[in-house]
Amino acid sequence: MKTVRRLYFYAVAWVSLEVVLWGTIALLRSIVSGMVIGMAEVLARALALILVGVPIFLFHWLWAQGISRREDEEKAAGLRALFLYVVMLSTLIPAVQNLLALLNRILLEVSRVEAGRALLGGTQTAADNLIAISMNGVIALYFWNVLRREWQTLAEKDAFTDVRRLYRYVWVVYGLILVILGAQQVLRFLFSVPSGVLGGLGRETFLNGATLLLVGTPLWVYAWRVVQNSLQEAAEAASILRLVLLYLLALGGVITVLTTAAMLAHIVIEVLLRTPISGADLAHRLGGPISVGLPFAVVWAYYGHWLQRHIAATGDEARRAGMKRLYLYALSAFGLGGAFIGVATLVRLIIDFLTTAPLMLNDALRARLADALSLLVAWLPLWLLTWRPLQAEALAAGEQGDHARRSIVRKSYLYLTLFAGVMGGMASAVALVFRLIKPLLGVAPGADFLPSVLNDLQMVVLFGILLAYHLVALRRDGIAAARSLMERQSRFKVLVLDVGEGFGDRVRAALQRIAPGVVVTVSAADRPPDRFDALILSGHVALQAPPWIRSFDGFRIIVPEESPGVLWAGGVSREAFLHAAQMVRLLAEGQEIRPRTERGARWMSLVYIAAALFGVQLVAGLLGLVFASLMNR
């Protein structure tokens, strides 16, 4: 109930604050600009925003402040931390954007370029930007002081620490985006072959990029240094958010680099196929992919290095191997997808070439051939370089191979590939059967009947090969894993203390179902002569355990049962015997039994997931803007 109440008050406070802030900015801008036409309407709108927003904000914010002073739980609430840091972001980022717009126009005007060509704020004035910077700065300063006082008086800082971590990484990503965009604009200008240095067509591209670099570089350097300095704290060094960000930046870098490499290969292949092009046009076309690929190559190299260092710092060898595996399987998936599309495109081209008269390599066929070959050149090596070591690891004998085969990452990769093979094969088969049935029902086949049928057939075959290959890999994993696990289970000895009432039989039945290879001995509560790896006993026996049970040096698994006068906090479940058998199986196979996470951290996991999704959308939007600008050149 308190969580819903907090969500309401802080959400209304934030929205009303934004309404008041931008209403005040609009009011000040209209006064300073001295507009005559439409002045009354602008003033009326601004005053309406302020007059309505101020009392709503004050009511909700003062209530939140009052209750946080009275209750420590409210002061340390995660939603309060999220509100404060969101306010900081929603004021400081607009301030940076207005600073960018101001500097952008200044550089353009100094270089005698029309201000309307600015990347940001081409129609604004210096007063507009300074007002927005000042007002956002005042609000940010107030809430920065609130945060500073909160950190000094907080008794429980976990929620604030988590949100602060997210806040810092948002600034890292934002600054990095500005740097990448700025570098792309500058490199794009250098490859445009202008008529003179900063004097030819397109010089605004260079100046826009320079502005982004002037603001983005110090911002990213500062934010990243703050993050790096915080690694002295154990919680920051082991942060899941840091690991997710490093994965996203490293994978985003390599995927973008290979995409631009495919674009470069396409251009080069087209030139080799004797497509006429001048030197200036060639440099201009090459400049587009290079201007995008080069900054992302730096991102890939830099954050890939930090990802490797983060993984190497992990103490658990199995977890370290799993983290590397996740990165490699992600690359393998992208490589496989790109190579599959390249092969399908090449086979389709061959079919169209052989079934269409006249048999000549025209411009359209050259472009399609360049598409297919460029995809293969960029993505096939990536798949081979990642998949072959992963497959060799999974086929290896011993504990390393067992961990690789049991990896949830590998299983997810194989099953997702099987899913893609089945769905793609099914869709292609439907299209093929549809084309074959139409003539039987009296529909005259068109001129493209034969190539269409062959193309559908080749997609069925390719998806079938994809499905069969990974199905064989999955089957090999299953056979090897089953053999290895049975060997492990056969070496694991379990003693079940039978206290009557069918306890021993129920445990034995559960173990036979979950871990059939484990050696099970059912005995009374007397000390056994043999050594066992695990001991299963009822809760009743555990409460009155003899000395030899308390000194047992193996694993003790207690199954809760109804006992007079005893209440189990977790309750007595019908599945308790199966849970115990599952624990035995994990112990026999050498796997870790992890306790359940605290419920209080679940909401932060949702925040991290939302932040990751936002980051993916942000990067996708960035790439879309960059590639759109390339296509419009």
Side-chain angles (χ1 to χ4, degrees), residues 3 6 78 158-159 162 569-571 595-607:
T3 301
R6 287 185 204 122
D158 289 346
D162 290 338
R596 295 180 180 178
T597 57
E598 297 180 4
R599 294 182 179 180
R602 290 179 182 176
W603 76 272
M604 201 61 215
S605 300
L606 296 177
V607 172

Side-chain angles (χ1 to χ4, degrees), residues 291-565:
S291 67
V292 176
L294 193 56
F296 274 97
V298 176
V299 170
W300 174 23
Y302 184 75
Y303 282 103
H305 164 73
W306 281 107
L307 176 61
Q308 296 300 325
R309 288 190 58 174
H310 186 92
I311 293 174
T314 303
D316 186 3
E317 184 177 353
R319 188 163 178 262
R320 186 165 59 245
M323 294 163 69
K324 291 181 180 178
R325 207 174 288 128
L326 176 61
Y327 180 68
L328 292 176
Y329 273 111
L331 292 179
S332 180
F334 285 110
L336 178 60
F340 183 88
I341 296 173
V343 171
T345 305
L346 183 60
V347 175
R348 180 180 291 271
L349 172 64
I350 295 172
I351 291 172
D352 292 344
F353 180 74
L354 295 177
T355 57
T356 304
L359 297 178
M360 16 181 340
L361 193 62
N362 53 30
D363 290 340
L365 288 178
R366 286 193 186 96
R368 291 173 60 188
L369 179 60
D371 286 337
L373 294 179
S374 61
L375 286 170
L376 290 173
V377 167
W379 297 106
L380 183 58
L382 175 65
W383 179 67
L384 293 174
L385 290 173
T386 53
W387 173 248
R388 292 178 66 183
L390 290 170
Q391 186 68 353
E393 180 190 34
L395 294 176
E399 186 174 354
Q400 182 180 3
D402 290 341
H403 282 295
R405 287 187 292 270
R406 289 200 307 262
S407 167
I408 187 64
V409 177
R410 178 174 176 83
K411 290 184 181 297
S412 300
Y413 173 86
L414 291 175
Y415 277 110
L416 285 174
T417 307
L418 292 178
F419 178 80
V422 171
M423 293 296 103
M426 183 173 63
S428 302
V430 169
L432 175 62
V433 173
F434 172 72
R435 294 187 192 278
L436 293 175
I437 288 178
K438 282 200 303 181
L440 299 178
L441 298 178
V443 180
D448 62 343
F449 176 74
L450 179 59
S452 297
V453 169
L454 292 177
N455 281 319
D456 290 336
L457 180 61
Q458 69 109 352
M459 292 303 297
V460 172
V461 172
L462 288 180
F463 277 114
I465 294 173
L466 179 73
L467 179 63
Y469 178 79
H470 290 87
L471 192 60
V472 170
L474 185 63
R475 186 172 179 272
R476 286 180 178 175
D477 283 2
I479 294 173
R483 182 172 58 249
S484 174
L485 293 181
M486 288 301 292
E487 292 176 358
R488 283 174 172 267
Q489 290 183 13
S490 65
R491 296 193 297 267
F492 197 84
K493 300 171 65 177
V494 178
L495 173 64
V496 180
L497 295 186
D498 191 3
V499 292
E501 300 181 358
F503 179 82
D505 294 336
R506 295 173 71 183
V507 173
R508 185 190 293 274
L511 289 171
Q512 184 63 31
R513 176 179 171 184
I514 304 296
V518 171
V519 179
V520 182
T521 301
V522 180
S523 177
D526 298 332
R527 185 182 183 91
D530 298 331
R531 186 186 182 283
F532 292 89
D533 299 292
L535 174 65
I536 300 179
L537 63 158
S538 68
H540 177 70
V541 174
L543 292 173
Q544 302 174 354
W548 76 267
I549 292 180
R550 292 196 294 268
S551 62
F552 182 74
D553 58 354
F555 296 97
R556 285 167 288 183
I557 301 174
I558 301 174
V559 181
E561 281 194 314
E562 295 287 356
S563 300

Side-chain angles (χ1 to χ4, degrees), residues 248-277:
L248 288 177
L249 291 176
L251 289 173
V254 65
I255 292 166
T256 307
V257 168
L258 291 174
T259 301
T260 54
M263 297 170 66
L264 286 173
H266 182 278
I267 297 170
V268 173
I269 292 171
E270 277 193 331
V271 173
L272 294 176
L273 293 174
R274 297 176 183 165
T275 302
I277 186 172

Side-chain angles (χ1 to χ4, degrees), residues 64 89 112 156 167 183 206 209 262 369 421 459 465 499 504 529 583 592 606 627:
L89 287 174
R112 298 181 181 179
E156 180 61 47
Y167 170 81
F206 177 86
L369 179 60
M459 292 303 297
I465 294 173
V499 292
M583 289 183 179
E592 180 182 1
L606 296 177
F627 285 115

Side-chain angles (χ1 to χ4, degrees), residues 34-40:
M35 290 188 303
V36 178
I37 301 176
M39 183 70 170

